[in-house]
Amino acid sequence: MSAELPKERAPSIRDVARLAGVSHQTVSRVLNDHPSIRDSTKARILQAMEELQYRPNQAARALSKGRSRTIGVLTASSTQYGPARSVAAIEDTARRQGYFVDTANLSVADPAAIEDALEHLLDQAVEGLIIIAPQERVFDVLERMSIEVPYVSLQSTGNHDLRALAEDQILGAKMATRHLVDLGHREIVHIAGPQDWTEAEARMQGFLLEIDDAELMTHPPILGDWTADFGYFAGQELLRSRDFSAVFAANDEMALGLLHALHDAGLDIPGDVSVVGFDDIPVSSHTWPPLTTVHQDFEGIGRRAFASLLGAMGTIVDFPTGPTAPCLVARDSSGPVPVSRLPLLKRY
Amino acid sequence: MSAELPKERAPSIRDVARLAGVSHQTVSRVLNDHPSIRDSTKARILQAMEELQYRPNQAARALSKGRSRTIGVLTASSTQYGPARSVAAIEDTARRQGYFVDTANLSVADPAAIEDALEHLLDQAVEGLIIIAPQERVFDVLERMSIEVPYVSLQSTGNHDLRALAEDQILGAKMATRHLVDLGHREIVHIAGPQDWTEAEARMQGFLLEIDDAELMTHPPILGDWTADFGYFAGQELLRSRDFSAVFAANDEMALGLLHALHDAGLDIPGDVSVVGFDDIPVSSHTWPPLTTVHQDFEGIGRRAFASLLGAMGTIVDFPTGPTAPCLVARDSSGPVPVSRLPLLKRY
DNA sequence: TGCTCGCATGTGCACGGTCACAATTGTGAG
DNA sequence: CTCACAATTGTGACCGTGCACATGCGAGCA
């Protein structure tokens, strides 16, 4: 904690000008590195800035240029590992490009809250929006408010060039499913994410496509809410009502809850049941047993989203946005289908 | 994605004034709800605003008032559950109070990066700073840059009125340790967090205080880095070199890694070894076995930090900041000390 | 030598609010 | 009916930068 008592105004471009013996405009030119300035003048000005600890006033700049150099990030799940990671990457990339990032977090995703959060971001005159709250409702509100700012959704609704992301999700889910099929599993069930999340849908789609490819059948996926609690609940349900030798959960948290339920029932993993998750959150390699999952490049996704937004804002993008294709990380929660599986499961 | 072609300037206070047939100043008064305005006039102006979709320009306001209504959050670990949760709470509270939040994330915590991030925030003319990067280095940089903005650290260095937080950390650690002592454990080891994190220090301190109170002895704590990977490594080390019946890990991730190592060694939890974590991250209730841990009110901490910052910024705080004392959540990873423990452990 | 041209720099205003102060209108007492 | 005084509204300057345009100056060329 600290503060200066005088509370005087910060030095302005004119203060610098006076000290350097030039006009304020010349100082401005230095700030925007205009080509034609004598080197000696420039040096003098830079020194004056240094001396006064000059710091350009963003508000004034925004006012006069009509550009805030700020983007808004609307997130509905900033406490989850993936989104948090992506947001961090967005912030990092944006900062490098001289942009500021304003975040608005949705604790509840009802329309009023969504609108409130968007209003807040718009009040800041953001030049673009990144949405990490892929519920359809958000887009409804976005539509209704007739937002005049370019926006990009991390989860891709398919309208813009982030489509690649959705494809990655499908691919990842196919890889996970294929992995189980290759291990000999024939009765595989899927615990999906919330219906209105594009990611959840893509993963489910990938699962179903692969099941179809392998000419297998499956029960309708259970629709969850991403939480470990739900995974636990789903596990209990599955044990009560279904025959299966493998489960593909749409994210690691649900997979974790599922493991818990299976353990509770005295089942061996992967002896009795194989489990595969999605995301590769940091604890996945230390669950018991360590979780087979699909690794995602959350940071790449974030960078890509920002690049895409810059594009939509009319800026040419010239920095690496390198996304990585998802890859399967086979650990110990998945294994060959047990020969003696059926009698064991029938008990439940 | 969407955009208006005309690209005309947004309506200003003067446009509203013209439409309502008043002076721009009167409009301004409505915006700042000045007391003496005729109701009829006010109504007319409000309607004009509505009609023009008027939105006050924050940049202009900031420029003329010299206040940005923005606070900066510097975080070094925004992808971890606790900090993420606190940041979300800060953002939420700030928004409710009409403040904007600018975040800068430290991917690496070297002085240059810290300085860069701080520069970025100061460029935005933030009125206050919340630091969630409690490494001492950050404060060194803060000192060196002679920041003129009030700041508050989420982890409390003891200089300001967040001291309560540190006390909570100590208390929580004491509760965890006491829990193990009460179960009959006499050889308890501690896996601590990084040395330069105030939280890690507070938890270690709580542990040592309680051990002392119980007139027990302990090995010097192992200094970790908060990650599950480290917890796993630490577990292997402990098994190789120490006798113990219980471990108190400074956070849940490390506790998780530790569980993994213990499982690998074929040990039963809590039959052979009891484990207690700290934080109560959402997956803790679904690890195997479910983890006994200390629940923290991350949101309360965030709110409290913001309130404290407002105080430092000279604003009277009049909203609930309710922090919750930490509480022990006893699950299945801790149990009575095994009678036949010593011979079993000696093997390692 | 006179004129054009490009570089380096200066002048004045606009951006969209707020503030201090002035002007106008309304109200009640004498 | 008049006047003091409060309630309401208006006027103009200013916050810090950037832009459009003007100016001064030296070089190149006929």
Side-chain angles (χ1 to χ4, degrees):
Chain A
M1 192 179 329
S2 84
E4 295 289 282
L5 293 185
K7 192 71 176 185
E8 62 209 357
R9 286 254 172 196
S12 83
I13 196 183
R14 292 174 210 260
D15 297 321
V16 174
R18 195 173 321 120
L19 183 58
V22 296
S23 79
H24 70 102
Q25 175 59 3
T26 306
V27 177
S28 171
R29 277 191 258 264
V30 170
L31 285 176
N32 300 283
D33 41 35
H34 186 92
S36 42
I37 293 183
R38 206 185 311 262
D39 279 350
S40 59
T41 315
K42 184 167 181 178
R44 207 150 25 101
I45 293 175
L46 287 175
Q47 199 206 319
M49 287 185 184
E50 177 65 26
E51 199 163 320
L52 293 175
Q53 291 254 38
Y54 170 74
R55 193 178 288 284
N57 181 321
Q58 293 296 332
R61 188 177 286 201
L63 177 58
S64 110
K65 301 238 286 188
R67 301 196 44 193
S68 62
R69 296 234 102 194
T70 297
I71 65 162
V73 175
L74 179 69
T75 156
S77 44
S78 67
T79 58
Q80 284 189 314
Y81 176 75
R85 199 76 186 254
S86 292
V87 170
I90 289 170
E91 193 278 315
D92 198 65
T93 315
R95 179 142 50 92
R96 251 183 258 283
Q97 301 290 312
Y99 277 86
F100 300 92
V101 177
D102 243 57
T103 46
N105 200 55
L106 253 35
S107 41
V108 288
D110 64 88
I114 295 172
E115 188 161 339
D116 184 59
L118 281 172
E119 288 284 354
H120 183 78
L121 292 175
L122 292 178
D123 279 348
Q124 265 303 41
V126 293
E127 294 177 25
L129 283 172
I130 296 184
I131 315 282
I132 317 191
Q135 295 95 336
E136 293 302 336
R137 255 169 311 186
V138 173
F139 296 101
D140 293 345
V141 175
L142 230 36
E143 202 68 33
R144 185 158 51 73
M145 289 176 66
S146 60
I147 303 286
E148 304 195 357
V149 165
Y151 62 86
V152 140
S153 159
L154 244 201
Q155 281 76 17
S156 168
T157 48
N159 316 332
H160 18 73
D161 46 352
L162 272 176
R163 194 171 302 121
L165 176 56
E167 280 163 17
D168 284 355
Q169 303 289 315
I170 295 176
L171 177 62
K174 291 178 80 165
M175 290 165 68
T177 313
R178 164 60 58 188
H179 171 71
L180 292 170
V181 171
D182 286 348
L183 286 168
H185 294 276
R186 292 293 170 266
E187 288 156 303
I188 310 172
V189 295
H190 179 49
I191 303 179
Q195 261 185 300
D196 57 355
W197 284 60
T198 335
E199 275 162 318
E201 203 186 306
R203 292 176 194 177
M204 177 154 80
Q205 199 182 330
F207 167 74
L208 293 173
L209 284 171
E210 197 64 27
I211 288 290
D212 203 47
D213 258 25
E215 305 198 327
L216 296 176
M217 298 180 60
T218 183
H219 291 284
I222 300 177
L223 302 173
D225 64 1
W226 297 133
T227 66
D229 281 345
F230 184 88
Y232 182 70
F233 162 77
Q236 293 178 316
E237 276 301 302
L238 284 174
L239 289 171
R240 179 156 39 238
S241 62
R242 302 278 157 80
D243 270 358
F244 60 96
S245 68
V247 183
F248 166 43
N251 75 338
D252 286 355
E253 274 89 352
M254 292 197 295
L256 265 165
L258 173 67
L259 287 182
H260 183 196
L262 297 175
H263 278 131
D264 269 0
L267 293 174
D268 182 59
I269 303 154
D272 298 318
V273 177
S274 284
V275 174
V276 176
F278 205 112
D279 283 350
D280 194 22
I281 61 176
V283 298
S284 293
S285 50
H286 297 290
T287 57
W288 187 251
L291 190 66
T292 294
T293 187
V294 178
H295 181 83
Q296 278 218 91
D297 179 19
F298 290 110
E299 284 164 2
I301 291 170
R303 278 196 302 272
R304 187 157 53 170
F306 180 70
S308 170
L309 181 61
L310 273 193
M313 281 162 35
T315 313
I316 313 121
V317 178
D318 62 345
F319 60 91
T321 61
T324 310
C327 66
L328 187 80
V329 183
R331 300 207 182 93
D332 308 337
S333 68
S334 57
V337 62
V339 261
S340 57
R341 182 188 63 75
L342 276 175
L344 204 161
L345 277 175
K346 276 281 164 61
R347 290 214 319 268
Y348 295 95
Chain B
M1 195 176 326
S2 83
E4 294 289 282
L5 293 184
K7 191 73 177 185
E8 62 208 357
R9 285 256 172 193
S12 82
I13 197 181
R14 292 168 213 263
D15 297 320
V16 175
R18 196 174 319 121
L19 182 60
V22 295
S23 78
H24 65 105
Q25 174 59 2
T26 306
V27 177
S28 170
R29 279 190 258 262
V30 170
L31 285 176
N32 299 283
D33 41 36
H34 186 91
S36 41
I37 294 183
R38 209 183 309 262
D39 280 349
S40 61
T41 315
K42 184 168 180 177
R44 205 147 26 97
I45 292 175
L46 287 175
Q47 199 205 318
M49 287 185 184
E50 177 66 26
E51 199 163 320
L52 293 175
Q53 292 253 38
Y54 170 75
R55 192 180 289 284
N57 181 320
Q58 292 297 330
R61 188 177 290 208
L63 177 59
S64 94
K65 299 239 285 188
R67 299 197 44 193
S68 62
R69 296 234 103 193
T70 298
I71 65 162
V73 175
L74 179 70
T75 156
S77 44
S78 67
T79 58
Q80 283 189 313
Y81 175 76
R85 198 76 186 255
S86 292
V87 170
I90 290 170
E91 194 280 313
D92 198 65
T93 315
R95 179 142 51 91
R96 250 183 257 284
Q97 300 291 312
Y99 277 87
F100 299 92
V101 176
D102 243 58
T103 47
N105 200 53
L106 253 35
S107 41
V108 287
D110 64 88
I114 295 172
E115 190 162 339
D116 184 59
L118 280 172
E119 288 284 354
H120 183 79
L121 292 175
L122 291 178
D123 279 348
Q124 265 305 40
V126 293
E127 294 177 26
L129 284 171
I130 296 183
I131 314 282
I132 317 191
Q135 294 94 340
E136 292 304 336
R137 256 168 312 186
V138 173
F139 296 101
D140 293 346
V141 175
L142 228 38
E143 201 68 33
R144 186 157 51 72
M145 289 176 67
S146 58
I147 304 286
E148 303 196 357
V149 165
Y151 62 85
V152 140
S153 160
L154 244 201
Q155 280 77 16
S156 168
T157 49
N159 315 332
H160 17 73
D161 46 353
L162 272 176
R163 193 171 303 121
L165 175 57
E167 280 164 16
D168 284 355
Q169 303 290 314
I170 294 176
L171 176 62
K174 290 177 82 165
M175 289 164 68
T177 312
R178 163 62 55 188
H179 171 70
L180 292 170
V181 171
D182 286 347
L183 286 168
H185 294 276
R186 292 294 170 266
E187 287 156 304
I188 310 173
V189 294
H190 180 47
I191 304 180
Q195 261 187 300
D196 57 355
W197 284 59
T198 335
E199 274 161 321
E201 203 185 306
R203 292 176 194 176
M204 177 155 77
Q205 198 182 332
F207 167 75
L208 294 173
L209 284 171
E210 197 64 27
I211 288 291
D212 203 46
D213 259 23
E215 306 199 326
L216 296 176
M217 297 179 62
T218 182
H219 290 284
I222 300 177
L223 301 174
D225 63 2
W226 296 134
T227 68
D229 281 346
F230 184 88
Y232 183 69
F233 162 78
Q236 293 179 315
E237 276 300 301
L238 284 176
L239 289 171
R240 180 156 38 239
S241 62
R242 303 276 158 83
D243 270 358
F244 60 95
S245 67
V247 182
F248 166 42
N251 75 338
D252 285 355
E253 276 87 352
M254 294 197 293
L256 265 165
L258 173 67
L259 287 181
H260 182 195
L262 298 175
H263 278 131
D264 269 0
L267 293 175
D268 182 57
I269 303 155
D272 297 318
V273 177
S274 284
V275 174
V276 176
F278 204 112
D279 281 351
D280 194 21
I281 63 177
V283 297
S284 292
S285 51
H286 297 290
T287 56
W288 187 250
L291 189 67
T292 293
T293 186
V294 178
H295 181 83
Q296 278 220 90
D297 179 18
F298 290 109
E299 284 164 1
I301 291 170
R303 278 197 301 273
R304 188 158 52 171
F306 180 71
S308 171
L309 181 61
L310 273 194
M313 280 161 38
T315 312
I316 313 121
V317 179
D318 62 346
F319 59 91
T321 60
T324 311
C327 66
L328 187 81
V329 184
R331 294 203 266 253
D332 308 337
S333 67
S334 56
V337 62
V339 261
S340 57
R341 180 188 64 76
L342 277 175
L344 202 162
L345 277 175
K346 276 281 164 60
R347 288 214 320 270
Y348 296 95

